[in-house]
Amino acid sequence: MPGASEIFRAFAKIGITSFGGGLVAYLRDALVTDKKWMDEEEFLAALEIGQTLPGLNSVNVAIIAGRKLAGPQGAVAAALGLILPGVLLLVVLGILYDRFRHNPNVAAALAGVAAAAVGLLLQVTLKIGAKQFLNLRDLCFVLGTFYLVAFHHVSLPVVLFLIAPIAIILCRPSKPKPNT
Amino acid sequence: MKDLVKILNVFCLLSLLAVGGGSAVLPQMEHETVSLHHWVTGDQFATIYSLGQMAPGPNMSMVALIGWQAAGAAGLIIALVAFYLPSSFLTYGCSFIWDHFKDNPWRASVQRGMAPITIGLMLAGVHAVGKTACINPNHSTHFNTITCITALAVTGILFAKRINPALLMLLGGVAGWFLLRGH
């Protein structure tokens, strides 16, 4: 079993190289293919937990994998390795942003980057929501949530504790059919 | 000091409400940090979000820069800890007992039911960032046309081609530098 420092190094490698997102794929490559610290099934189980619980999927998977490999120290090492490099780069970008944002050239370039980021989020949303957009009941929830949150500032707790339960109950497990 | 406590509260809450990943809390985060607490302007929020998308690692590490704008270095650390620690603790704890409820039929229902809600929240996130980054009433029609075209071009290219999004964001920056200067 790897120690905390080896776990930190493995996750930091992802934290440094994962430009442009898609961290789950990087995690799978590192944990399953490269290091063989988990098999495919264990990884999918970790991902399932990570997706169901609050928090970022990638960080949650790192916590679960780190814990499995080296207990609490492993979980801390994995999460820090994944998060810290990006934060350091962001701090540098943030300092540059503060210093140069009133420069018209920089402001114009940043406006272009910000617009591109909106396009990226739109694409990700449409891609992972493809199934939901094609189902009428799901589409009602998609558009209803969008309308209430974007235009009426309905808060996230209200969405999660009032609207989500309705959607979940509509998808409740069917009674097991006898003799099938 | 009062600000630090507020940062702690806001990001702890967002951490525990981030069901369905980070993008789902974007509208709430924008509302809290821009409209309610005025830690950043709408423009700054959109820019900080886009910087987070460019940097490696989890894209929501951009909360660090919001904390920093709100209260300096202490704000940065508190925003990060508050955003990542609560959900991580929860995951750590739940990973022990997961096997007990993994075969519960309600788990599939929760996932099925939550999926459209998450997508709706993400669309609201597009709106939260797009209303300053793309369709900004303080900018000229010309400016807004170019930003909208840039955004839609990125969406289209990503559907058509497997390309690293960070590269497209850099291209967006180049396009902005060429087309948006002096507007």
Side-chain angles (χ1 to χ4, degrees), chain B residues 96-104:
Chain B
F96 287 98
I97 52 166
W98 183 254
D99 287 340
H100 292 290
F101 57 101
K102 116 181 141 183
D103 293 322
N104 190 314

PDB file of all heavy atoms in Angstrom, chain B residues 96-104:
ATOM      1  N   PHE B  96     -17.969   4.826   4.628  1.00  0.00           N
ATOM      2  CA  PHE B  96     -17.964   3.637   5.503  1.00  0.00           C
ATOM      3  C   PHE B  96     -19.286   2.901   5.459  1.00  0.00           C
ATOM      4  O   PHE B  96     -19.341   1.679   5.514  1.00  0.00           O
ATOM      5  CB  PHE B  96     -17.713   4.041   6.965  1.00  0.00           C
ATOM      6  CG  PHE B  96     -16.307   4.454   7.240  1.00  0.00           C
ATOM      7  CD1 PHE B  96     -15.958   5.793   7.268  1.00  0.00           C
ATOM      8  CD2 PHE B  96     -15.323   3.511   7.487  1.00  0.00           C
ATOM      9  CE1 PHE B  96     -14.660   6.185   7.534  1.00  0.00           C
ATOM     10  CE2 PHE B  96     -14.025   3.895   7.752  1.00  0.00           C
ATOM     11  CZ  PHE B  96     -13.689   5.234   7.774  1.00  0.00           C
ATOM     12  N   ILE B  97     -20.384   3.681   5.399  1.00  0.00           N
ATOM     13  CA  ILE B  97     -21.699   3.054   5.539  1.00  0.00           C
ATOM     14  C   ILE B  97     -22.391   2.881   4.195  1.00  0.00           C
ATOM     15  O   ILE B  97     -23.529   2.468   4.111  1.00  0.00           O
ATOM     16  CB  ILE B  97     -22.605   3.883   6.487  1.00  0.00           C
ATOM     17  CG1 ILE B  97     -22.635   5.345   6.049  1.00  0.00           C
ATOM     18  CG2 ILE B  97     -22.127   3.772   7.911  1.00  0.00           C
ATOM     19  CD1 ILE B  97     -23.740   6.145   6.704  1.00  0.00           C
ATOM     20  N   TRP B  98     -21.666   3.223   3.104  1.00  0.00           N
ATOM     21  CA  TRP B  98     -22.282   3.218   1.785  1.00  0.00           C
ATOM     22  C   TRP B  98     -22.894   1.872   1.432  1.00  0.00           C
ATOM     23  O   TRP B  98     -23.996   1.793   0.889  1.00  0.00           O
ATOM     24  CB  TRP B  98     -21.227   3.588   0.741  1.00  0.00           C
ATOM     25  CG  TRP B  98     -21.785   3.682  -0.633  1.00  0.00           C
ATOM     26  CD1 TRP B  98     -21.629   2.804  -1.644  1.00  0.00           C
ATOM     27  CD2 TRP B  98     -22.612   4.727  -1.142  1.00  0.00           C
ATOM     28  NE1 TRP B  98     -22.295   3.229  -2.762  1.00  0.00           N
ATOM     29  CE2 TRP B  98     -22.916   4.403  -2.467  1.00  0.00           C
ATOM     30  CE3 TRP B  98     -23.145   5.897  -0.587  1.00  0.00           C
ATOM     31  CZ2 TRP B  98     -23.704   5.211  -3.267  1.00  0.00           C
ATOM     32  CZ3 TRP B  98     -23.936   6.694  -1.392  1.00  0.00           C
ATOM     33  CH2 TRP B  98     -24.198   6.351  -2.696  1.00  0.00           C
ATOM     34  N   ASP B  99     -22.174   0.787   1.755  1.00  0.00           N
ATOM     35  CA  ASP B  99     -22.634  -0.540   1.372  1.00  0.00           C
ATOM     36  C   ASP B  99     -24.033  -0.852   1.900  1.00  0.00           C
ATOM     37  O   ASP B  99     -24.755  -1.622   1.307  1.00  0.00           O
ATOM     38  CB  ASP B  99     -21.653  -1.606   1.864  1.00  0.00           C
ATOM     39  CG  ASP B  99     -20.377  -1.583   1.044  1.00  0.00           C
ATOM     40  OD1 ASP B  99     -20.426  -1.043  -0.087  1.00  0.00           O
ATOM     41  OD2 ASP B  99     -19.337  -2.054   1.528  1.00  0.00           O
ATOM     42  N   HIS B 100     -24.393  -0.182   3.023  1.00  0.00           N
ATOM     43  CA  HIS B 100     -25.700  -0.468   3.600  1.00  0.00           C
ATOM     44  C   HIS B 100     -26.833   0.074   2.763  1.00  0.00           C
ATOM     45  O   HIS B 100     -27.918  -0.491   2.741  1.00  0.00           O
ATOM     46  CB  HIS B 100     -25.798   0.116   5.013  1.00  0.00           C
ATOM     47  CG  HIS B 100     -24.917  -0.574   5.984  1.00  0.00           C
ATOM     48  ND1 HIS B 100     -25.148  -1.852   6.405  1.00  0.00           N
ATOM     49  CD2 HIS B 100     -23.771  -0.180   6.577  1.00  0.00           C
ATOM     50  CE1 HIS B 100     -24.185  -2.227   7.232  1.00  0.00           C
ATOM     51  NE2 HIS B 100     -23.330  -1.221   7.339  1.00  0.00           N
ATOM     52  N   PHE B 101     -26.607   1.205   2.081  1.00  0.00           N
ATOM     53  CA  PHE B 101     -27.741   1.726   1.318  1.00  0.00           C
ATOM     54  C   PHE B 101     -27.497   1.767  -0.181  1.00  0.00           C
ATOM     55  O   PHE B 101     -28.262   2.332  -0.928  1.00  0.00           O
ATOM     56  CB  PHE B 101     -28.233   3.075   1.874  1.00  0.00           C
ATOM     57  CG  PHE B 101     -27.227   4.181   1.939  1.00  0.00           C
ATOM     58  CD1 PHE B 101     -27.218   5.169   0.975  1.00  0.00           C
ATOM     59  CD2 PHE B 101     -26.321   4.263   3.002  1.00  0.00           C
ATOM     60  CE1 PHE B 101     -26.314   6.212   1.056  1.00  0.00           C
ATOM     61  CE2 PHE B 101     -25.410   5.305   3.068  1.00  0.00           C
ATOM     62  CZ  PHE B 101     -25.405   6.272   2.101  1.00  0.00           C
ATOM     63  N   LYS B 102     -26.462   1.062  -0.626  1.00  0.00           N
ATOM     64  CA  LYS B 102     -26.178   1.131  -2.053  1.00  0.00           C
ATOM     65  C   LYS B 102     -27.219   0.369  -2.880  1.00  0.00           C
ATOM     66  O   LYS B 102     -27.499   0.743  -4.009  1.00  0.00           O
ATOM     67  CB  LYS B 102     -24.743   0.648  -2.292  1.00  0.00           C
ATOM     68  CG  LYS B 102     -24.561  -0.575  -3.099  1.00  0.00           C
ATOM     69  CD  LYS B 102     -23.112  -0.924  -3.222  1.00  0.00           C
ATOM     70  CE  LYS B 102     -23.028  -2.445  -3.133  1.00  0.00           C
ATOM     71  NZ  LYS B 102     -21.740  -2.998  -3.158  1.00  0.00           N
ATOM     72  N   ASP B 103     -27.833  -0.665  -2.286  1.00  0.00           N
ATOM     73  CA  ASP B 103     -28.835  -1.423  -3.040  1.00  0.00           C
ATOM     74  C   ASP B 103     -30.268  -0.975  -2.745  1.00  0.00           C
ATOM     75  O   ASP B 103     -31.223  -1.590  -3.207  1.00  0.00           O
ATOM     76  CB  ASP B 103     -28.688  -2.914  -2.759  1.00  0.00           C
ATOM     77  CG  ASP B 103     -27.372  -3.446  -3.310  1.00  0.00           C
ATOM     78  OD1 ASP B 103     -26.981  -2.982  -4.406  1.00  0.00           O
ATOM     79  OD2 ASP B 103     -26.736  -4.273  -2.644  1.00  0.00           O
ATOM     80  N   ASN B 104     -30.398   0.084  -1.956  1.00  0.00           N
ATOM     81  CA  ASN B 104     -31.721   0.606  -1.672  1.00  0.00           C
ATOM     82  C   ASN B 104     -32.344   1.155  -2.961  1.00  0.00           C
ATOM     83  O   ASN B 104     -31.737   1.958  -3.654  1.00  0.00           O
ATOM     84  CB  ASN B 104     -31.567   1.738  -0.636  1.00  0.00           C
ATOM     85  CG  ASN B 104     -32.902   2.187  -0.091  1.00  0.00           C
ATOM     86  OD1 ASN B 104     -33.848   2.399  -0.847  1.00  0.00           O
ATOM     87  ND2 ASN B 104     -32.975   2.329   1.209  1.00  0.00           N
TER      88      ASN B 104
END
